[in-house]
Amino acid sequence: MGPASLCLLALAHGMLPPAWHVLWVAVVVILGVGAMAWGLHRNAVPEGSGWRRFVLGVGLYASGDLVWAVAEALLGPGNAVGTAAWYVSLAGLPVVVSGMRRVLAPARRGTDLEGLLDSAIITLAVALVVWQSTILPAVEQDGMLSYGVVGAIPLLIVSMGLLGLVLTRGLRGGGTPSAWLLATAIPLTALTSMVYWTVEADHAWQSAPVARVLMALSYAAASAALGHPSLLSVGSAEPVRPTSTTTRVLIVGSAVMVVPVWHAMESWQDLSPTDAVGGALGIIVTALAIGRILATLLSREAAERALRTREARFRSMAQNAYDYVILVDAQQRVIWGSDNAGGITGVGLDHMIGRSIFTEVHPDDQEVALGLFEECVARPGHGVRGSVRAVAVDGTERWVEFSLSNQLATPAVGGVVVNYRDITETQATREALLHRATHDSLTGLPNRAQLMRTIEDAIASGQPGIGVLFLDLDRFKLVNDSLGHHAGDRLLQHVAGQLRGMVRAEDTVARIGGDEFVVLCTGPDTVAGLMDLAARLCEAFAAPLDLDGHQVTATTSIGIAVADADSTPSDLLRDADTAMYRAKDEGRNGFLMFDPRWRGESAARLRAELRLRRALDEGVGLRLHYQPVVDLTDGRMTAVEALLRWEPGLFVDRDGETPMDTGALIGLAEDSGLIGRLGEWVVQRACADLAALDRCVPGVRLDLAVNVSGAQLRREAFALTIAAALDRNDICPTRLVIELTESVLVEDVPTVRSSLQDLRGMGVTLAMDDFGTGYSALANLKRIPFGMVKIDRSFVDGVVDDPDAAAIVHAVVGMAHALGLQVVGEGVETPEQKLALTRIGCDLAQGWYVGRPMPLEALEARLLAEDRRAAQARVQTR
């Protein structure tokens, strides 16, 4: 609206009487400056932008123009108020210049005093030349024109500079509407001032419609330029660092001094106005030139002072830095260095100058260091980093981290800049952390991760005969449980020391976890060497060892495996582990070489484990059979023993075809950690079946015998599991018999003793199974509160024909009865065996002759049949 209103005012100027001139100026000034401010707001010009300073300068100029017009109208020409207003207008011109300069040619950071002086000198000098050569001859012919030119000379000079900026920078690339409007407004403003002063000389300004029209159009063009959306694309609208106070004073002072110097020239020298202009310009140019010289001298002195300060600062930083700095030429010679440069090795800087940079580098690292240096020198501006060992004057080794920067092509440097520092302590910490991450903390041996890397490196290098020994200590848990973990740790350390002492220097000994160790050997005769080493290790470990006053024998089972063409580290350890477990199964304290045929057996064992886990998860595939136990006095069935069975083909043995027996399946469950779940399933299923029998045959109350392994007894919650199963099926604890083998009791583990005491406290009967086969049978009968013993089938087999076997059975029965224990004869397969046990006084019998294991349905049928026969017998008796 502002530019449109100004254009309308310009078209309507003929309808205004001359007396309204002051009002005209007021309306144009207020409306024009207001329209410019509105344009800044519309375009969201940021604070500090040159455009805001431009509008501020225009406002100063316009306000001075308005005050001058009012003073001339009220007080007449030549009054003091008008002169003062003229100074205000002139003060706005440098502000306009400063704003435009920020927009079109932003100054560099800091004060550009010398650049401003150069610009002012060049502009005024050109103006002086143009004045003397062109304008002055023209104005001397027309006196009225001379007043216009003289009065408008400040604005003409400023307009010339601004127009040059706009034309060269604002219109670059074709320009924008804002730039073209601004290029139009600047000469219109200068032309308005010139016409205004020309008619003022004839005191005809109140009736000069041309001046009023030009004034309105110039403000209209300027406000349209600032209000157009393309404003921010003219130059840069970003804020810059404020001009210094000195620069502001110089700019404003130069503009304001034009008037007093001009008047002084007229008064003191009695010159005409046109001559005074030339003299004033000459004086100002001379003064600016002197100022430029002074500014140059001051700037040079300040620059030299700043240079000395920076040099001192950088020198101090180099001399006192934590890192060391040296400069090396292309021939590796030291040509400069900081005073502390020789601090790492103890060699002074004077001894380093002129010598090779590699003089103190460790001989083993010189090739690496030289390669990095040559790589850096070959590429200008290139940098490399590395670390080497340096040898100090006292012979100690220090780790040095360095960086090289090729500045040979830089004239001020002319060398390779070397920054380096001592990282000996850091390197030691790093190596300690690496050792901790790759070695066992108890024995100091490499751990599993480091062993795998070593095996991988050996395989990758193509070494012949790569083989391993996989060692596992026999019954190591017994040492921990009986003597404590401190004794177990000492035993492991002793074993580690023995292994290190019995292998070759090139062999690797590692502890991969718990009581498992691995020896890695390489060489053409690896197989023979491994076999010989395994034999010597078994013999050495079989010797008794004193641990805190206790004699301990730490025998070991060893598996041996040799890598083939396709082996990986995991394959090699897996095969050796498999051989080790075979050695344990064959009696421990021995060694076996891995047979490739076992891989199929291992796969079958893994499949069996997966099937067992799935069977326990889904509750299918497993079942129980029950073998009767009869009273030898009357032949009545008094109990059943629960025996684990499974679907045909569900579990197969090592050859992948033979069905797995119960002992092998129990071992598989123990090795895989499934024994707890399996034992719980057996107890729960057996108790549920017993409750079903009670409901089906209410007149019969059988006892239930369940076999329990040592792994189950070592579980702290075992007794709670038994109690929960009995309670859930409403079975009296006295009807349950827990059968144990003597091997379970040999270790005398506290958790086993606790579980047995808890069971006996509940009323559960404890039975020793396979009695007579263990060396500690009598001791166990005294130590454990058993209520029953079961004579092993090996003695029952000979009770008829072998007098010795019969004597043993007779002795066992007599001893058991003396202790108040019931006796069960196992493996009764003939009527003669049953008769012999009855004559000896055995209480109960169990075997195929008495009754084969049968599923629950068959057992129910047998019990019902026996119950019917018993009922018939009672009827006949009556």
Side-chain angles (χ1 to χ4, degrees), residues 372-450:
L372 291 174
F373 184 84
E374 291 176 347
E375 177 186 350
C376 179
V377 170
R379 299 170 61 184
H382 182 62
V384 298
R385 300 176 64 89
S387 58
V388 295
R389 289 168 294 173
V391 181
V393 293
D394 58 1
T396 59
E397 295 181 3
R398 311 293 296 178
W399 275 97
V400 178
E401 183 181 60
F402 63 87
S403 66
L404 307 177
S405 177
N406 185 349
Q407 301 296 320
L408 290 167
T410 304
V413 182
V416 177
V417 180
V418 183
N419 288 272
Y420 62 100
R421 58 178 173 173
D422 190 345
I423 60 167
T424 304
E425 295 182 1
T426 304
Q427 186 69 18
T429 302
R430 185 181 304 158
E431 291 176 354
L433 292 175
L434 179 61
H435 185 275
R436 186 179 304 174
T438 57
H439 288 72
D440 173 49
S441 59
L442 178 64
T443 63
L445 296 177
N447 58 17
R448 184 184 188 90
Q450 181 62 24

Side-chain angles (χ1 to χ4, degrees), residues 19 83 114 128 134 184-185 191 216 232 237 348 479-480 498 510 547 614 618 626 631 657 669 688 695 759 769 776:
T83 302
E114 296 179 6
L128 179 59
T134 304
T184 302
L191 185 59
L232 295 181
V479 176
N480 271 342
Q498 273 191 309
L547 286 179
R614 186 180 300 114
E618 300 175 359
Y626 297 94
D631 190 330
E657 297 179 0
R695 292 189 298 271
L759 291 172
D769 197 11
S776 59

Side-chain angles (χ1 to χ4, degrees), residues 126-138:
V126 170
L128 179 59
V129 171
V130 173
W131 175 265
Q132 294 291 346
S133 62
T134 304
I135 299 177
L136 184 58

